[in-house]
Amino acid sequence: MLTLFPFEAGFYEQHQVPVCYVGHPLAKQFPKQPNTSSARQQLNLEQDKPTLCIMPGSRSAEVELMAELLLDTAIKASKDLGAELQLIMPAANQARFDQLQKILKTKAVEVTLLQQQSHLAMEAADAVLLTSGTTALEAMLLKKPMVVGYRMNALSFKLLFPLIKTAYVSLPNLLANQPLVPELIQDKATVESLSVEVVNLFKANSSGLVEQFDELHEQLSLDSATLATAAISQLIESE
């Protein structure tokens, strides 16, 4: 097995499966230092306004469950901060763009809705409010403080939750094996609880968190092709 994350290797080792951790290819695609000012300029955003990127998911069901929740969270966080947040929200594709447009028409809030451009949107932000998944890894690689929320169909959650054996669900926390970023799942993912965490992001000094994200970025940024080739060659030679 060639694994993308270091925590995956341990599982295979426990079951006597030959394994080699080769790093994650995404790590090489992101700069070590994001250029927030340039990203805002490219998206025609105000440079000095506190900015939150909202990532409600890429699937229709995710957006249906998460978009209104995250938008309401952003609205409440803005009020609680006493400073209007600049909101940006990228849509994964045209179908999600149309879906989000309909949802935004029901909300009294100004949001810059983008077609794709998720990496640029996150780079332009001070913080990210997102659904759990690969987006959390991308936000980490862009060194962005984040709040992770997730809801799924109640029946699906009831069936799947007993099968979850890890302490965390978001990739930054799994990689660090500690709660680097707040994650609120299912019933804990409410406007009130999520907005508290978003407000904390804008009030806190994030330099320590960024340093930890830097370390994790380094751990993932390996010469994957060389490592994979060497592992495969060694396995062939051992046969």
Side-chain angles (χ1 to χ4, degrees):
M1 291 298 299
L2 303 175
T3 68
L4 303 180
F5 300 111
F7 60 80
E8 294 173 316
F11 172 82
Y12 292 105
E13 289 168 352
Q14 290 175 11
H15 294 83
Q16 292 77 52
V17 176
V19 61
C20 178
Y21 163 57
V22 299
H24 201 294
L26 268 181
K28 294 286 189 183
Q29 297 177 24
F30 287 82
K32 294 299 175 65
Q33 297 298 326
N35 191 332
T36 300
S37 177
S38 175
R40 289 188 186 184
Q41 186 175 16
Q42 292 179 65
L43 295 174
N44 296 315
L45 299 172
E46 293 185 43
Q47 287 288 341
D48 300 324
K49 198 169 185 178
T51 302
L52 178 68
C53 179
I54 302 172
M55 304 287 291
S58 59
R59 298 188 297 274
S60 176
E62 278 183 332
V63 171
E64 184 178 346
L65 283 169
M66 297 301 301
E68 287 198 54
L69 171 64
L70 299 188
L71 284 166
D72 290 342
T73 295
I75 293 169
K76 187 174 190 311
S78 229
K79 291 178 181 177
D80 293 345
L81 280 166
E84 185 181 356
L85 293 174
Q86 184 169 221
L87 304 178
I88 47 178
M89 184 163 58
N93 50 47
Q94 184 63 52
R96 298 292 76 74
F97 185 89
D98 295 341
Q99 185 181 9
L100 288 166
Q101 269 193 325
K102 290 179 182 178
I103 293 171
L104 284 171
K105 287 179 181 178
T106 69
K107 300 293 176 183
V109 61
E110 184 177 341
V111 178
T112 298
L113 181 61
L114 306 171
Q115 289 202 27
Q116 300 178 326
Q117 295 183 291
S118 61
H119 294 169
L120 192 63
M122 286 190 283
E123 189 170 13
D126 296 302
V128 184
L129 175 61
L130 54 88
T131 57
S132 183
T134 304
T135 302
L137 174 64
E138 294 169 338
M140 184 199 83
L141 294 172
L142 284 163
K143 316 303 185 300
K144 299 298 177 177
M146 72 192 81
V147 175
V148 178
Y150 199 75
R151 282 182 182 172
M152 63 174 66
N153 174 277
L155 178 59
S156 297
F157 183 78
K158 186 176 181 180
L159 292 172
L160 291 174
F161 185 73
L163 303 178
I164 298 173
K165 305 301 181 183
T166 59
Y168 311 107
V169 298
S170 65
L171 285 169
N173 291 346
L174 286 167
L175 287 165
N177 196 29
Q178 60 176 302
L180 289 186
V181 304
E183 48 182 55
L184 296 101
I185 309 302
Q186 206 63 9
D187 293 342
K188 294 180 180 179
T190 65
V191 171
E192 290 72 20
S193 58
L194 287 166
S195 61
V196 166
E197 298 295 350
V198 171
V199 168
N200 288 341
L201 291 188
F202 282 92
K203 289 184 174 181
N205 183 334
S206 63
S207 59
L209 179 63
V210 170
E211 287 180 8
Q212 290 174 297
F213 284 173
D214 274 329
E215 291 177 9
L216 294 173
H217 196 158
E218 288 291 339
Q219 289 178 26
L220 294 176
S221 188
L222 303 180
D223 188 350
S224 301
T226 299
L227 290 169
T229 301
I232 293 168
S233 298
Q234 184 178 6
L235 185 64
I236 293 172
E237 290 170 1
S238 67
E239 291 297 324

